[in-house]
Amino acid sequence: MFDGSGSAAQQNDAASYHRRMRNTAELRDEILAAARAEFAQYGLAGARIDRIAKEANASKERLYAHFGDKESLFNQVVLADAGEMFGAIELLPDDVAGFVGQIFDMVRERPDHIRMVDWARLERVRLNLPDGDSVHFVEKMRGALREAQARGLVDERWDPADLLTMLFGLGLSWVQSPDPSADTTNKKVIARRRADAVEAARRIIAPAD
Amino acid sequence: MFDGSGSAAQQNDAASYHRRMRNTAELRDEILAAARAEFAQYGLAGARIDRIAKEANASKERLYAHFGDKESLFNQVVLADAGEMFGAIELLPDDVAGFVGQIFDMVRERPDHIRMVDWARLERVRLNLPDGDSVHFVEKMRGALREAQARGLVDERWDPADLLTMLFGLGLSWVQSPDPSADTTNKKVIARRRADAVEAARRIIAPAD
């Protein structure tokens, strides 16, 4: 039907169908962007659907039709954010310490994303992850750590799951600190902290002699 | 007047005054306890003053009279919690690695307290700390790290403020992780994680040969 052999009317239908689909996709994207800004700022309880709808130039009715209730919308934003965050970092067996630097950079570039994940944890939102998705990410990272251990690059002392959690803890130290001085725009300070986190990871993983 | 030399009426006034004061203090404690439970569960935006008042058997009017608005009450709870948390840990220059174990234990014993601090950070609540209090705690910890460095127990490479932030990051790794498996009641797993965090800190601070 769509191979060019159809009638003009059929082709017109197809073009109109495509246009409608694109607009729906665009609307979804705009609602998601508005929702991300609102949720990152106010959390699930504090967010207001009418502000999101207004910001996205959509009616509340269309928003509900596309995303369900507020918690469902929150869930979809945090899932998209988690997917994007995991997609932006890669644990390589021969540069495990550098992975902490990747985490450090990633949350600096996406402050709203890590806020979403923190909100989700505090609001005890059950993340209904797409089947196997988070397991996939986590298992891939743990697998890289096991490979690094097998190659003698990471001390065998560590349980891969615990080591992974500590590497994230190190990379997120400043973002998750309540100390106001942890938040800075001073490039020299930021560079020093990044180097510190990577050096700390290097010392942790170094195989004992 | 209160030295026993006053009239019976004056003594009666004093006793009544004391009783009223004690009851007021008790009421304050009950409201604070109810507020802690409510805020730790729902955060600032999600908490409801009428639930807190009901739980504390107080009228909303008395609650407002004692604590001001919801944000002011939140502020007082998180300040009390932060004070209690800092009071429960002590950074000793000759056991810097053990300090991470203290942090690990402290948040396990007070899950609501660390949730309050996390909520405050996400809700961007400006903590109006009593004059010098937080500076006192933080400066004391940094001072202990400087002393440990002067005594050759901690590598001079580290900036004390950055090292302190990373030690907290390590100790809080599991509590602040979004991974559901980070939350466990398995005593063996908990003991292993605690030992891991302390060993990681030991490796970080060890002076380079």
Side-chain angles (χ1 to χ4, degrees), chain B residues 174-188:
Chain B
W174 288 271
V175 189
Q176 292 187 323
S177 165
D179 187 342
S181 75
D183 191 20
T184 181
T185 53
N186 184 320
K187 284 187 184 170
K188 215 173 125 186

Side-chain angles (χ1 to χ4, degrees), chain B residues 67-145:
Chain B
F67 292 97
D69 61 9
K70 188 164 83 162
E71 181 158 341
S72 167
L73 178 55
F74 181 91
N75 205 29
Q76 289 171 73
V77 172
V78 79
L79 281 185
D81 287 1
E84 204 186 297
M85 285 169 66
F86 278 123
I89 53 179
E90 187 177 7
L91 206 169
L92 300 170
D94 52 10
D95 190 19
V96 172
F99 181 65
V100 170
Q102 289 183 40
I103 296 168
F104 187 95
D105 294 338
M106 183 261 292
V107 291
R108 280 204 59 79
E109 285 156 21
R110 294 175 179 77
D112 277 359
H113 287 56
I114 190 73
R115 280 177 65 83
M116 284 301 295
V117 173
D118 278 339
W119 281 116
R121 175 172 53 84
L122 285 177
E123 307 252 25
R124 296 202 173 98
V125 171
R126 247 189 103 79
L127 292 183
N128 297 309
L129 290 162
D131 208 22
D133 237 29
S134 78
V135 177
H136 169 72
F137 281 125
V138 172
E139 263 318 305
K140 215 175 137 188
M141 292 186 285
R142 290 182 188 168
L145 287 179

Side-chain angles (χ1 to χ4, degrees), chain A residues 41 45-46 115 118 121-122 124 142 155 157 162 174-176 179 192-193 196 199 203-204 206, chain B residues 41 45-46 115 118 121-122 124 142 155 157 162 174-176 179 192-193 196 199 203-204 206:
Chain A
Q41 173 84 6
R115 281 177 64 84
D118 278 339
R121 175 171 54 84
L122 284 176
R124 296 202 172 95
R142 290 181 187 167
D155 197 339
R157 179 210 189 285
D162 285 348
W174 287 271
V175 190
Q176 292 186 324
D179 187 342
R192 188 192 66 213
R193 289 174 178 173
D196 280 357
E199 170 65 13
R203 293 179 179 207
I204 292 172
Chain B
Q41 174 82 8
R115 280 177 65 83
D118 278 339
R121 175 172 53 84
L122 285 177
R124 296 202 173 98
R142 290 182 188 168
D155 196 338
R157 179 212 189 286
D162 285 347
W174 288 271
V175 189
Q176 292 187 323
D179 187 342
R192 188 192 67 213
R193 289 174 177 174
D196 280 356
E199 171 64 12
R203 293 179 179 208
I204 291 173

Side-chain angles (χ1 to χ4, degrees), chain A residues 3-102:
Chain A
D3 60 2
S5 66
S7 68
Q10 277 174 333
Q11 286 178 352
N12 202 34
D13 273 1
S16 146
Y17 176 77
H18 178 77
R19 196 163 54 241
R20 264 183 293 124
M21 289 305 289
R22 191 191 53 193
N23 287 346
T24 301
E26 281 172 359
L27 176 67
R28 277 186 66 92
D29 285 350
E30 278 171 40
I31 292 174
L32 277 177
R36 171 174 298 117
E38 176 78 8
F39 286 132
Q41 173 84 6
Y42 300 106
L44 175 57
R48 283 176 49 191
I49 287 286
D50 52 356
R51 275 197 299 242
I52 296 173
K54 196 178 166 196
E55 186 64 30
N57 284 313
S59 69
K60 283 212 275 186
E61 290 66 31
R62 289 198 74 181
L63 195 151
Y64 285 125
H66 281 289
F67 291 98
D69 61 10
K70 187 162 83 164
E71 181 158 342
S72 167
L73 178 56
F74 181 91
N75 204 30
Q76 288 170 75
V77 172
V78 78
L79 281 185
D81 287 1
E84 206 185 295
M85 286 169 66
F86 279 124
I89 53 178
E90 187 176 8
L91 208 169
L92 301 169
D94 52 11
D95 189 19
V96 172
F99 181 64
V100 171
Q102 290 184 39

